[in-house]
Structure formats: structure tokens, C-alpha cells
Amino acid sequence: MSESPISRFFPPDLADVPSDVRERIAAVEEKSGFVPNVFLALARRPDEFRAFFAYHDALMERPGSLSKAEREMIVVATSGLNQCHYCVVAHGAILRIRAKDPLVADQIAINYRRADIAPRQRAMLDFALKVAARSYEIGDADYEELKSHGFSADDAWDIAAIAALFAMSNRLANALESRLDIANKAAIAATSHASSSEKPWRFRSS
Amino acid sequence: MSESPISRFFPPDLADVPSDVRERIAAVEEKSGFVPNVFLALARRPDEFRAFFAYHDALMERPGSLSKAEREMIVVATSGLNQCHYCVVAHGAILRIRAKDPLVADQIAINYRRADIAPRQRAMLDFALKVAARSYEIGDADYEELKSHGFSADDAWDIAAIAALFAMSNRLANALESRLDIANKAAIAATSHASSSEKPWRFRSS
Amino acid sequence: MSESPISRFFPPDLADVPSDVRERIAAVEEKSGFVPNVFLALARRPDEFRAFFAYHDALMERPGSLSKAEREMIVVATSGLNQCHYCVVAHGAILRIRAKDPLVADQIAINYRRADIAPRQRAMLDFALKVAARSYEIGDADYEELKSHGFSADDAWDIAAIAALFAMSNRLANALESRLDIANKAAIAATSHASSSEKPWRFRSS
Amino acid sequence: MSESPISRFFPPDLADVPSDVRERIAAVEEKSGFVPNVFLALARRPDEFRAFFAYHDALMERPGSLSKAEREMIVVATSGLNQCHYCVVAHGAILRIRAKDPLVADQIAINYRRADIAPRQRAMLDFALKVAARSYEIGDADYEELKSHGFSADDAWDIAAIAALFAMSNRLANALESRLDIANKAAIAATSHASSSEKPWRFRSS
Amino acid sequence: MSESPISRFFPPDLADVPSDVRERIAAVEEKSGFVPNVFLALARRPDEFRAFFAYHDALMERPGSLSKAEREMIVVATSGLNQCHYCVVAHGAILRIRAKDPLVADQIAINYRRADIAPRQRAMLDFALKVAARSYEIGDADYEELKSHGFSADDAWDIAAIAALFAMSNRLANALESRLDIANKAAIAATSHASSSEKPWRFRSS
Amino acid sequence: MSESPISRFFPPDLADVPSDVRERIAAVEEKSGFVPNVFLALARRPDEFRAFFAYHDALMERPGSLSKAEREMIVVATSGLNQCHYCVVAHGAILRIRAKDPLVADQIAINYRRADIAPRQRAMLDFALKVAARSYEIGDADYEELKSHGFSADDAWDIAAIAALFAMSNRLANALESRLDIANKAAIAATSHASSSEKPWRFRSS
């Protein structure tokens, strides 16, 4: 597909990839306008590709009281903790769209405790980050705290499972040294072009 | 299935579980003589059940230069780091069988640096534990070290991906507060019965 | 100036602020199109305002072999380590402009080890982050490493002193709970408007 | 005594060891059926041998409200924290016997917070592990918590002193690189022989 | 001034130093009887010298409810945390004088939680050390705790800003490898001369 | 002996203490001019008293290539790491006497890496502090490093065992909340009297 490396591992020739994997890649390209590197990287291993995205979809698109934006908040906070640059940028972009808020992704990636989010969302991220960093200390008090914010048992499962899924995903992307998606590069470049004008921050008068 | 809790979450009634999930549970029971709690816990969520075991099988049963025992070594070392009691006991039992070595599992769970393993296996665990603990620092030197022990690029992927998969699995088991499998309890009890006799350690004269 | 809080502390009435401080604030507003919150926050204490910016300018605008972009790289990396959201956003914006690179700031904030920077810059950040995190371990080997990349003694001082200055600045902004600058909010919002269109990432065909 | 090393240091020739030390070694062999490596290792230094076991006995066999099993719980939890493989296996075996519970030792070694123990025992281990990991933070609240579970001042001393004694013992065993006792190897091997049969976990039907 | 190095960097020839800097150095020498190394080290860079001492004086000599001794307590505790030997000795000496207490400096440097200080001072140091170690976690509860001990908003600013200033100063002194001041060496030597007599601790009968 | 508490635990009435313990206390008082609190605290438990000092003497007064001053260096460095205020002050005083150096104790307590000690002593402390902080990582390279500085196997044992003994002693003193010895208070007060004169640091002209 391209000569530029997507990670420490070269992507497979898409012609050699099983058709169901190729179709999923085509679908994401149709929807997003580009193929995220994680799809190309995992295509090297079709069974892992299928399992990963099956798990991802089961958790991220599951009906429930957590909104899709809130699910992405967990992903971004976890990715910040694990210092996964690829994940923060890719899921930060999704969070900005789903939360309809341009600010919240950076806030959550750097320090979710200072993000402009609801107390319920703060409690959700406290639980998620404890799962991410010290899951062996999770106990009654943590579940009680979630309950006091109106979360159900299945919400608690969702939060824990998303934090756990990205404990995996962050480590895999870091270990494979995934590179930033070209499209994200283009998006940031487009933004930056505007902001590198002579008086880059004069927005009030515009 | 049982009144005793398997984790913070009650298991589903198996009659309500999709048939493919039920069949997989029956197969593991046929093979092992019991149903491990992780199967019962995940059966609450069939899509996650399917994805988890698909991912697990893709990595743990994949042909390659890593033996099945070596794959379990990674699991046990990672589970020790993450203080996942369920995972250490369940996978320690598998490792003892696969390695045909009664000692190595405990050694690896507590401190893999002192385990009686080959230098190549020590290098494998150094890489795996770095992925588990500080994946953001993985770099050229880590891959070079693996290569110097004869590992291929795909071996490196396997090691990283197994460590990452159990970063997820350990956190999920901890957060759901999975309880020890009854069968493992029985196995340990059987052992202990012998060893709690009056002179429990007198093995030399036997 | 505004009813919206800039931090846990209310900003002073600018009419009550000494004229030299007010003039510096006017100058930054003229240049940037807005008044960054850090100027408003510190204006509450004119002596600290003067000392802080005097120190800042002495280090960040000092002639020397470190470029202005490189100095900002140190700031952004340190601010990421210290989880200072205000600092990452404000200095990330400056770095994007000075480095003429839209990507490098996020890379450095999340994990500088994976950023697309020169080996010399990587060595610079290794030293800076060691000063930030474990200054008591700095020794001969660290200075030798800098020297091997062509840095002079005064470059080493610059790197250490910038990392140290933002050890202070990050902690102060965090402790005062500085809020994101309005202008940065506007800039991010402008970007986001584009990217929340129906096919947000379709840049290739544009 | 044997060609196989017991640790990084060779054991002394028992013929050269003072008679009181030799008698103590004979006594433990008579009782246990083997000589634990820690006795052989310390016999190299008779004064340290005498002082260590005098301290050990003073704390572990002292009358008081803590049962002998509870004292071993502290040892196993501390040894897990300090990643002392020798200590976890040796004292885990003693704990299994004293607690008449085959399961509790592994639970406590990996994550005592999840062990099936009484709330009073959980409080005891919370205190012990705080002494082991952050003794400089011990204060009024910690003693109050112990008191609320019915512990006396001398119980608190016992808990702290046992955790402290094994802070020493774990470090010494780790630094000397103590090897697993042959007898423990035999015990585990005996168990493993049974469990490596074709259907290793089929215990329900037996 | 001397051939002996004051740090990794040689001090400038005072004749080459701007007169205002030289006058400040003369003033401290007049008052203290010696020139602390930090003055000599920073004289290499007059702009940084001026800014540093301006910031220092603005915070350490500011009128307010915190006494000068209390301000030094923050400095010593922070310097202990950051393992800055130069700072602990230099500011420990000042604290002993200001607190009119020969003991408190060592107590605070090693473990402020055990120091013989008032509850209000303990709360002050809890806040300061949290700013020093985990400023990203500062929040409502920390400010409420300060308030409950009678601290005002500006006191909180003072505590945070002093902890932040020495986050900088400790790192700079460590990175530049500042050496102990000759005068402090002399002071300690004078003391030691007495205490190295034959029965060094016989004070009761004197 | 005194109404003032020596720790969280009251000291026993010396009349009730076994005569051998009382004689040891009298001997240290005769030699030092006071009774250190650690003797009074442990006298509450004669068996532990005897074992502790037997172990202490076996290691600290053992003939060997490590000087007594070097043995105390290990104690002070370990006590600094473990934030044991009582231990740093008590053993810092001994170290100053044994090293005939008034400066080295503070240097080692705060950051031994910057202390004015020989390379061989730096290597000794590197090993000791690794035993104190991460004994589970000790391995071949650590022993090789010691050997390259001329240390024998028994020297390595001494270093490890002293670090381990004070891992215990520091934790016990911290947990029992040992208070500073009166005599040390007097010693520091005597020093401080001189140094709190009007121009406390004017030593050059004296």
C-alpha cells in the first residue's frame, strides 16, 4: 500500500489478506477516508485482526448507559497513562467528534482529574484508571463509589473491560512502535497551517 | 450452575447461553474435568466470550518457535507482576503440565529472574515484562537483544502480544474479582492432605 | 477582566496592577491576540510575575546552540511528565509554530521517545527528563552523553535549567489549577469544526 | 554435604560448624526430614546463625493473641512483596500446614487483598505490608485501625516486628540467591506427578 | 575566589560580574561571613542570578501568616524529597536559626511526618510535599484541609509557590552538582571536633 | 527512667529487666554517657533485645576488609532511603566519629551518589542500596562489580547483610515511632548554640 513504514513491522500486501479482513479495511477506508495503521498492522495476522476488532466492537458499540463518547474517554485516559502516542491521537480524534467538544480529549489525555467533565464521568475515569494502574486493589469501596453515581453492575463491567482492552491495545501499539496515521498527520497539518499565520492566536476578532 | 459465587458477578444460567458458547464450555469441561471460572464469568457476555477466546487461541496455540510452555511462562510472569491470583493459579497449573516441571511456575510467578530457565527464556521474559510494565520504553535495544537470542520478528510479536493480552486478562480478572477454580482448590487440597501428615517433608526416605 | 475563573484564584483587576506588569500583559495581547491565563494569574503578585518572566526570558530567549523550538521541546516533554494540562496545551501551540511541525508537540507530550526528532534532540530530552524526574542521579555519564552529541557545557546548563524552571512552572500551574486559555479553546474549536463534518478524515481527495 | 549449590555461597562443611549450630541443624532435619537451605547458608557464619534463629523464634513462637498461622501469613505476604521466591515457597509450605488450608498461602503471596481471610487478618496484613513498604508513613490512624479489630499494643509490636524481620530475611535470601530446598522440590514434584496425568483436573468424579 | 570547584561548572571571575550581582554577593558575604556556592554558581549567568534571587526573595521574605521558619520548613522538606544535599545542608542551617530549634531541620529533611511540629505545620508540609511530588492530584480536598487549619488563600499560594520554587532549585543544584559550602563544612567540623572527643555523648554531666 | 516517651511504646521499668540486659544497658551508658532509646525500647522484650544486639554486633564488629566507618556508611545510606529519622541521627553521629569526617554522614543520608567517598565505597553503597530497594534484581553483574573493586565474597555478604539488618531496624524504629535520643538532642543543641550567634557562619576569621 505504501513504502512508508506503519510500525516496526511492515504491513502485508493487501492482496494476500483474507477477503473478510480486506472488506473490513475497505469499510473503514470508505467511512473515514483513510486506513488507520492499526488495521494495516493487524492484517499481518488475520486471526488476531478478527479477534481484536470483535472485542473492540463488543465493548465500544455495546448498548448501555455509557455513551460512546464516555467509552472513548476511558480509552483516551488509559492511553495517556500508558504513554501510547498512536492511541491518544487516534482515539482523541474520535472523542472530539463523539463528545462534540474540541477540548476534552487533550484534557483527559494529560490529566483527567482536571478535565471539564461531569462528576459521574470523573468517577468513571477514577475506576477505569485504577483498573489500568492497580487492578489488584479494586474492592468494595470502588464499586460502591460507582453505584453512588448511578452506574449499574454492567456499567462497571463495561468500564473495567474497556480499561483492560486498552491495557492490551496500548501495550501492543507501543511494542510494535505504531506510527501516527497519515490522515491524522494531514488533519493536524491542516489545522496548523491556519495557526502558524503571523498572529496565530488572534481568534477573538475573527 | 452453583450457588457459590465465581466472582463479583454471578454467572449466567447456562440454559440461556448461546449454543456455541455452551459447546465451548462443554468441551473444556470434557477435557479438564471442570469448568474454569473465567469461562463462566465471560459467558455472561457471549460476544466478549467469543472474542476473548478467539484472541487467546490465536496467540497461545499459534505455530511458531515459541513452545506452548514458553507461552505460558509469559502468562505466569505477567500475572505475577499484575498480582492476579486467579491467573497465577490457573496458568501456573497449565505451565507445570506443559513444562513437565513442577517448580518453574512458582519461580516465575514470584521472581522470574531467579527461575531455572534457559538464557533465551530469560530474554523472552525480560522483553515480555518490559511490555507489561513500561511498553513506552521499548526500542531498538530490546529487539536487538531478542534477535541475539535467535528470536525472529514474529517471535517478538508473539511475546509482545501475549504479554499485552494478559495485561488485559489480568486486569479483567482482578476487576471482576474472579475466585479460584474449585478444581484448583481440589488439586491443592489433595496435595496438602499428604503434606499435612506428621512429618510432612520427609521425602528422602520414601 | 472576565467573570470566568482562570484558576482557583481570581485574577486581579488590571487597573490595580503596576504599570510595568500591565504593559507586559498588553504586549503579549498585542502579539498573540489574547492574554494567556498565566499572565493574569501571576499578575496577582507583581514581584513573582516579574521574577518568573525574567527567568523565563533569560532561559527561553537566550542565544545559544539550542534553537527556540528545541527549548520548547524541553518544556513540552517536562509538562507531559508532570501532567500539566495548561502547560502542554500552551507550550504545545508554541512548539508547533516554532518547529514548523504540526505533529511533534503531541508526540513529545505523550512519549518523547517515539517522537520524530533528531538523535541529538532525543539525547537532549533524555537529559532534561532525567533532571525532571531523578536529578539526584545525574552524573558523569549523563554529561558525557550530551558531549558526544555536540552539546557544550552551557548547552547542558540550558537544558537542565529549562527542565528545572518548568518543574516549578508545571507544579505552580497544577497547584493553582490553571484553566485552559480561551484562545486555545477557540483554536481547537476552529479545527474541530472542520473535523466533525460527516467524513471527518477524508483529506486525501481534498 | 552436597555438590549442588544452595545459594551463591557454598555451604560450610558441617564438621567444621560449632556443635550448637550443628545440633540445631540436626533437630530441624529430624523434625522436617530435610535441612532447609537457609540453615546451611547461615551456618557459614555461626554468630549470625544463632542471632537470626534467636530473633526468629522470639517472634514466631512467642505466646500472644496472634496464632502461629497468622504469624506465617505476615511472612508470606511480606515475602511476596519482596519477590523472595525461597521465602514464599518455604513459608508457604509452613502456612499451609499451620492454617490447615491448602489455598491461603498462594492467595496471600500473590495478592493478600483477595485472600479468603478474616477482616481482622486483613487488617493485620494491611499494617504489616505498610511496615514493609512505607514504614515512614505509619501513624496514629494505623494503630487505631488495629485497635478497632481487637489487637493489643503487643500484637501491633508483633506484627511490625515480624514484617521487619522478614524485610531482612527476604533481602538476605535474595542477595545470597538462595535456591529452593530439595525437599520442597520433592513435595511439588510428588504433587505434580499426580496432576500431570492425562486428565489432570478431573477431581469431581474421584 | 578559590581553586576548589563549587560545582561541575567553574565560577566566574568576580571581576567580570556585573556590579549589581557583585554587590549582592558582597552583601551576603558581609551578613553570613562567606559566599554560598549557589551565589557563585549563578553569577555565571547574571540574568538568571537576578531572576532567581528576585523570585526567592519575593516568596521567602514576603509578609504573611507563614513565619520565615515555616517557609524554610517547606524548603527543607522539599529538598529532602528531591535528595538535594546542598539544599538540605544550606537551608537546614537557616531553619535551625529561624526556628531556634537545633533538631527540627534534620527531622524534616528525613521524614517530616515524624518531626516535632504543630498540626498546622504538618498540614502545611502535607500540602507542600503533594505539590512537590504529585501536583496533578491537587484538588478541593487539599485546599479544604489547609483552610481547616486556618490558612488563607494567599497562604496556600505561598506554600505551593515555595514548594514549586524549590522543585526548580533542587533540580538545578543537583544537575549542576553543587558542592557543600566551605562555611558549612567549617561549621560542621567545629561541632564535630567537640563530639569526637573520647566520650562523645557524655552531655548529662557537663 | 523518664516520663518522656521514647517511642509509641513506654520503656519498661529497668528494675524488671533481666540482669544481662540491664548490664548491657549500663555498659552502653558508661561508654556513651547516655542510654540510646533503641536500648530502652527493646528492653521491653528481652529475647528480641538479645537477638537484635547479637546480630548487630556480629555484623558491625566483625573483622574483615570493611572498616567500621564503611559499615556505618551502609547503615546511614539505608536509613536515609527508608526515611528513618532516629537511625539517621544515631548512626550519623557514629559515622562522623568513625570516619573522622564531619561531613560525610549528611551527604550519605541525603544522596550517597554525591558524597565525597572513594569509588570503592560508592560501589559498596550501590550494592547495599540495591539490596535495600530491589534485592530481587541482584545478580551476576552486581557481584562482578563488587569484585572489580577488590571486594571478596565475604565482603559482599557483609554488605548485603548489613543492608538487610537495617531494612529490619529502620522499619522497626519507624513502626514503633522511636524518638530522637536526648543526648543527640543535647549534642545538636550545643552545636546550635554556637551557630545561632549573630553572624552564625563567620568562620573564616576565627
Side-chain angles (χ1 to χ4, degrees):
Chain A
M1 169 158 271
S2 151
E3 286 167 61
S4 61
I6 59 164
S7 79
R8 184 172 282 270
F9 292 78
F10 276 86
D13 186 332
L14 284 186
D16 301 337
V17 163
S19 61
D20 65 311
V21 171
R22 209 163 50 222
E23 280 161 23
R24 170 102 196 212
I25 290 175
V28 71
E29 188 175 20
E30 174 61 26
K31 184 176 167 196
S32 305
F34 74 103
V35 183
N37 286 343
V38 63
F39 285 78
L40 296 176
L42 282 173
R44 182 186 175 104
R45 300 222 174 161
D47 288 344
E48 297 170 37
F49 180 104
R50 293 179 192 111
F52 178 83
F53 289 108
Y55 214 143
H56 176 277
D57 293 353
L59 285 169
M60 300 304 285
E61 300 180 2
R62 189 174 178 276
S65 81
L66 295 181
S67 71
K68 286 193 174 181
E70 286 169 340
R71 290 168 202 262
E72 289 295 336
M73 285 179 186
I74 299 169
V75 177
V76 171
T78 305
S79 302
L81 175 78
N82 293 324
Q83 300 187 34
C84 180
H85 174 236
Y86 179 83
C87 314
V88 166
V89 170
H91 288 274
I94 300 173
L95 175 53
R96 276 187 286 273
I97 296 168
R98 294 211 166 149
K100 299 184 199 311
D101 178 337
L103 303 169
V104 75
D106 279 353
Q107 290 179 333
I108 288 175
I110 301 300
N111 185 0
Y112 77 93
R113 300 170 202 83
R114 292 294 164 73
D116 294 315
I117 55 179
R120 164 195 146 93
Q121 293 167 335
R122 166 70 192 258
M124 174 187 80
L125 293 179
D126 281 340
F127 187 80
L129 273 279
K130 188 165 180 181
V131 171
R134 297 172 290 128
S135 66
Y136 44 86
E137 291 184 2
I138 291 281
D140 288 348
D142 302 297
Y143 278 93
E144 287 305 318
E145 182 70 15
L146 281 185
K147 201 175 167 186
S148 77
H149 282 88
F151 288 106
S152 69
D154 269 299
D155 295 338
W157 179 303
D158 281 354
I159 298 169
I162 294 169
L165 176 64
F166 281 85
M168 175 175 74
S169 183
N170 295 161
R171 281 166 178 76
L172 195 58
N174 274 343
L176 304 186
E177 302 178 26
S178 300
R179 294 183 184 281
L180 205 58
D181 291 326
I182 300 294
N184 284 316
K185 291 187 185 178
I188 299 172
T191 307
S192 167
H193 181 68
S195 66
S196 60
S197 61
E198 214 166 310
K199 292 197 170 183
W201 299 115
R202 184 172 290 284
F203 290 100
R204 287 189 312 178
S205 54
S206 70
Chain B
M1 167 158 273
S2 152
E3 288 168 59
S4 62
I6 59 165
S7 79
R8 184 172 281 271
F9 292 78
F10 276 87
D13 185 333
L14 284 186
D16 301 337
V17 164
S19 60
D20 65 311
V21 171
R22 210 162 50 221
E23 281 161 22
R24 169 102 196 214
I25 290 175
V28 72
E29 188 175 19
E30 175 60 25
K31 184 177 169 197
S32 306
F34 74 102
V35 183
N37 286 343
V38 63
F39 284 78
L40 296 177
L42 282 173
R44 183 186 174 105
R45 300 221 174 163
D47 288 344
E48 298 170 37
F49 180 105
R50 294 180 191 110
F52 177 83
F53 288 108
Y55 214 142
H56 176 277
D57 294 352
L59 285 169
M60 300 304 285
E61 300 179 3
R62 191 174 177 276
S65 81
L66 296 181
S67 71
K68 286 194 175 181
E70 287 169 340
R71 291 169 201 262
E72 290 294 336
M73 284 179 186
I74 299 170
V75 176
V76 170
T78 306
S79 301
L81 175 78
N82 293 324
Q83 300 186 34
C84 180
H85 174 236
Y86 179 84
C87 315
V88 166
V89 170
H91 287 274
I94 299 173
L95 175 53
R96 274 187 287 272
I97 295 168
R98 295 211 165 149
K100 299 184 200 312
D101 179 336
L103 303 168
V104 75
D106 278 354
Q107 290 179 333
I108 288 176
I110 302 298
N111 186 1
Y112 77 93
R113 299 171 202 84
R114 294 291 165 75
D116 293 315
I117 54 178
R120 162 195 148 95
Q121 292 167 335
R122 166 70 191 258
M124 174 187 81
L125 293 180
D126 282 340
F127 187 80
L129 274 278
K130 188 166 179 180
V131 171
R134 296 173 290 127
S135 66
Y136 44 87
E137 290 185 2
I138 292 282
D140 288 348
D142 302 297
Y143 278 93
E144 287 306 318
E145 182 70 14
L146 281 185
K147 201 175 165 186
S148 77
H149 282 88
F151 290 106
S152 70
D154 269 298
D155 294 338
W157 178 303
D158 281 354
I159 299 169
I162 293 170
L165 177 64
F166 282 84
M168 176 174 76
S169 183
N170 295 161
R171 282 167 178 76
L172 195 59
N174 274 343
L176 304 186
E177 301 179 26
S178 300
R179 294 184 184 280
L180 205 58
D181 290 326
I182 299 295
N184 283 317
K185 291 187 186 178
I188 300 172
T191 307
S192 167
H193 180 67
S195 66
S196 60
S197 62
E198 216 165 311
K199 292 195 170 185
W201 299 114
R202 184 173 288 285
F203 291 99
R204 287 189 312 177
S205 54
S206 69
Chain C
M1 169 159 271
S2 153
E3 286 169 60
S4 61
I6 59 164
S7 80
R8 184 173 281 270
F9 292 79
F10 276 86
D13 185 334
L14 284 186
D16 301 337
V17 164
S19 60
D20 65 311
V21 171
R22 209 162 52 222
E23 280 161 24
R24 170 102 196 214
I25 290 175
V28 72
E29 188 175 20
E30 174 60 26
K31 184 177 168 198
S32 306
F34 73 102
V35 182
N37 286 342
V38 63
F39 286 78
L40 296 176
L42 281 173
R44 182 186 175 105
R45 300 225 174 158
D47 287 345
E48 298 169 38
F49 181 105
R50 292 180 191 110
F52 177 83
F53 288 108
Y55 213 142
H56 176 277
D57 294 352
L59 285 169
M60 301 304 286
E61 299 180 3
R62 190 175 177 275
S65 82
L66 295 182
S67 72
K68 286 194 174 180
E70 287 169 339
R71 290 167 201 263
E72 289 295 336
M73 284 180 187
I74 299 170
V75 176
V76 170
T78 304
S79 301
L81 174 78
N82 293 324
Q83 299 186 33
C84 180
H85 174 237
Y86 179 83
C87 315
V88 166
V89 170
H91 287 274
I94 299 173
L95 175 54
R96 275 188 287 272
I97 295 169
R98 294 211 165 150
K100 298 184 201 312
D101 179 335
L103 303 169
V104 75
D106 279 352
Q107 291 179 332
I108 288 176
I110 302 298
N111 184 2
Y112 77 94
R113 301 171 202 82
R114 293 292 165 74
D116 294 315
I117 55 179
R120 163 193 147 94
Q121 291 167 335
R122 166 70 192 258
M124 173 187 81
L125 292 180
D126 282 340
F127 187 80
L129 274 278
K130 188 165 180 181
V131 170
R134 297 172 289 128
S135 66
Y136 44 86
E137 291 185 2
I138 292 281
D140 287 348
D142 302 297
Y143 278 93
E144 287 305 318
E145 182 70 14
L146 281 185
K147 201 175 165 186
S148 77
H149 283 87
F151 289 106
S152 70
D154 270 298
D155 295 338
W157 178 304
D158 281 354
I159 298 169
I162 294 170
L165 176 64
F166 281 85
M168 175 175 75
S169 183
N170 295 161
R171 281 166 178 77
L172 195 59
N174 275 342
L176 304 187
E177 300 178 28
S178 300
R179 294 183 184 281
L180 205 59
D181 291 327
I182 298 295
N184 283 317
K185 291 187 186 179
I188 300 172
T191 307
S192 166
H193 180 68
S195 65
S196 60
S197 62
E198 216 166 308
K199 293 195 170 184
W201 298 114
R202 185 171 287 284
F203 290 102
R204 287 188 313 175
S205 54
S206 71
Chain D
M1 168 158 272
S2 152
E3 286 168 60
S4 60
I6 59 164
S7 80
R8 184 173 281 271
F9 292 79
F10 277 86
D13 185 334
L14 284 186
D16 301 337
V17 164
S19 61
D20 65 311
V21 170
R22 209 164 48 223
E23 281 160 23
R24 169 102 196 212
I25 290 176
V28 71
E29 189 176 19
E30 174 61 27
K31 183 177 167 197
S32 306
F34 74 102
V35 183
N37 287 342
V38 63
F39 285 78
L40 296 176
L42 282 173
R44 183 186 175 104
R45 300 222 174 161
D47 288 344
E48 297 170 38
F49 180 104
R50 293 179 191 110
F52 178 83
F53 288 109
Y55 214 143
H56 177 276
D57 294 351
L59 285 169
M60 301 304 286
E61 299 179 3
R62 188 174 179 276
S65 81
L66 295 181
S67 71
K68 286 192 174 182
E70 286 169 340
R71 290 169 202 261
E72 290 294 336
M73 284 180 187
I74 299 170
V75 177
V76 171
T78 305
S79 302
L81 175 78
N82 292 324
Q83 299 186 35
C84 180
H85 174 236
Y86 179 84
C87 315
V88 166
V89 170
H91 288 274
I94 299 173
L95 174 54
R96 275 188 287 272
I97 295 168
R98 295 211 165 149
K100 299 185 199 312
D101 179 336
L103 303 169
V104 75
D106 279 353
Q107 290 179 333
I108 287 176
I110 303 298
N111 185 0
Y112 77 94
R113 299 171 202 84
R114 292 292 165 75
D116 294 315
I117 55 177
R120 162 193 148 94
Q121 293 167 335
R122 166 70 192 259
M124 174 187 80
L125 293 179
D126 282 340
F127 187 80
L129 273 279
K130 188 165 179 180
V131 171
R134 297 172 290 127
S135 66
Y136 44 86
E137 290 185 2
I138 292 282
D140 288 348
D142 301 298
Y143 278 93
E144 287 305 317
E145 183 69 14
L146 281 185
K147 201 175 166 186
S148 77
H149 283 87
F151 290 106
S152 70
D154 269 298
D155 294 338
W157 179 303
D158 281 353
I159 299 169
I162 294 169
L165 176 64
F166 282 84
M168 176 175 74
S169 182
N170 295 160
R171 280 167 178 76
L172 195 58
N174 274 343
L176 304 186
E177 300 178 28
S178 300
R179 292 184 186 281
L180 205 58
D181 291 327
I182 299 295
N184 285 317
K185 291 186 186 178
I188 300 171
T191 307
S192 167
H193 181 67
S195 66
S196 61
S197 62
E198 213 164 311
K199 292 197 171 183
W201 299 114
R202 183 173 288 286
F203 290 101
R204 284 189 315 175
S205 55
S206 71
Chain E
M1 170 160 268
S2 152
E3 287 167 61
S4 59
I6 58 163
S7 80
R8 184 172 282 271
F9 292 79
F10 277 85
D13 186 334
L14 285 186
D16 301 336
V17 164
S19 61
D20 65 311
V21 171
R22 209 163 50 223
E23 280 160 23
R24 170 101 196 214
I25 290 176
V28 71
E29 189 176 19
E30 173 61 27
K31 183 176 166 197
S32 306
F34 73 102
V35 182
N37 286 343
V38 63
F39 284 78
L40 296 176
L42 281 173
R44 183 187 174 102
R45 299 223 174 160
D47 288 344
E48 298 170 37
F49 180 104
R50 293 179 191 111
F52 177 84
F53 288 108
Y55 214 141
H56 176 277
D57 294 353
L59 284 170
M60 300 304 286
E61 300 180 3
R62 190 174 178 274
S65 81
L66 295 181
S67 71
K68 285 193 175 181
E70 286 169 341
R71 289 168 201 262
E72 289 295 335
M73 285 180 187
I74 300 170
V75 177
V76 171
T78 305
S79 301
L81 175 77
N82 293 324
Q83 300 185 35
C84 180
H85 174 236
Y86 179 84
C87 315
V88 165
V89 170
H91 287 274
I94 299 173
L95 175 54
R96 274 187 288 272
I97 296 169
R98 294 211 165 149
K100 298 183 199 313
D101 178 336
L103 304 169
V104 75
D106 278 353
Q107 291 180 332
I108 288 176
I110 301 298
N111 185 1
Y112 77 93
R113 299 170 203 83
R114 292 292 164 74
D116 293 315
I117 54 178
R120 164 193 146 94
Q121 292 167 335
R122 166 71 192 258
M124 173 187 81
L125 293 180
D126 282 339
F127 188 80
L129 273 279
K130 188 165 180 181
V131 170
R134 297 172 290 128
S135 67
Y136 44 85
E137 291 185 1
I138 292 281
D140 288 348
D142 302 298
Y143 278 93
E144 287 305 317
E145 183 69 15
L146 281 185
K147 201 175 166 186
S148 77
H149 282 87
F151 289 106
S152 70
D154 270 298
D155 294 339
W157 179 303
D158 281 354
I159 298 169
I162 294 169
L165 176 63
F166 281 84
M168 176 175 75
S169 182
N170 296 162
R171 282 166 178 76
L172 195 59
N174 274 342
L176 304 186
E177 300 179 27
S178 300
R179 294 183 184 280
L180 205 58
D181 291 327
I182 300 294
N184 284 316
K185 292 186 186 179
I188 300 173
T191 306
S192 167
H193 180 67
S195 65
S196 61
S197 62
E198 213 166 312
K199 291 197 172 183
W201 298 115
R202 185 172 288 285
F203 290 101
R204 285 189 314 177
S205 55
S206 71
Chain F
M1 168 160 270
S2 150
E3 287 169 60
S4 61
I6 60 164
S7 80
R8 184 172 281 272
F9 292 79
F10 277 86
D13 186 334
L14 284 186
D16 301 337
V17 164
S19 61
D20 65 311
V21 171
R22 209 162 49 221
E23 280 161 23
R24 170 102 196 213
I25 290 176
V28 71
E29 189 176 19
E30 174 61 26
K31 183 177 168 197
S32 306
F34 74 103
V35 183
N37 286 342
V38 63
F39 285 78
L40 296 176
L42 281 174
R44 182 187 175 104
R45 300 222 173 161
D47 287 344
E48 298 169 37
F49 181 104
R50 294 179 190 110
F52 178 83
F53 289 108
Y55 214 142
H56 177 276
D57 294 353
L59 285 169
M60 300 304 286
E61 300 180 3
R62 190 174 177 275
S65 82
L66 294 181
S67 71
K68 287 194 175 181
E70 286 168 341
R71 290 168 202 263
E72 289 295 336
M73 283 179 186
I74 299 170
V75 177
V76 170
T78 305
S79 302
L81 175 77
N82 293 324
Q83 299 186 34
C84 181
H85 173 237
Y86 179 83
C87 315
V88 166
V89 170
H91 287 274
I94 299 172
L95 175 54
R96 274 187 288 272
I97 295 168
R98 295 212 164 147
K100 298 184 200 313
D101 179 335
L103 303 169
V104 76
D106 279 353
Q107 289 179 334
I108 287 176
I110 301 299
N111 185 1
Y112 77 93
R113 300 171 202 82
R114 294 292 165 73
D116 294 315
I117 54 179
R120 162 193 146 94
Q121 292 167 335
R122 167 68 191 260
M124 173 188 81
L125 293 179
D126 281 340
F127 187 80
L129 273 280
K130 188 166 180 180
V131 171
R134 297 173 289 127
S135 66
Y136 44 87
E137 291 185 2
I138 292 282
D140 288 348
D142 302 298
Y143 278 92
E144 288 305 317
E145 183 69 15
L146 281 185
K147 202 175 166 186
S148 77
H149 283 87
F151 289 106
S152 69
D154 270 298
D155 295 339
W157 179 303
D158 282 353
I159 298 170
I162 294 170
L165 176 64
F166 281 84
M168 176 176 73
S169 183
N170 296 161
R171 281 166 178 77
L172 195 59
N174 274 343
L176 304 187
E177 302 179 27
S178 300
R179 293 183 185 281
L180 204 59
D181 291 326
I182 298 295
N184 285 316
K185 291 186 185 179
I188 300 173
T191 309
S192 168
H193 180 69
S195 66
S196 61
S197 62
E198 214 166 312
K199 291 195 170 185
W201 298 114
R202 184 173 287 285
F203 289 100
R204 287 188 312 176
S205 55
S206 72

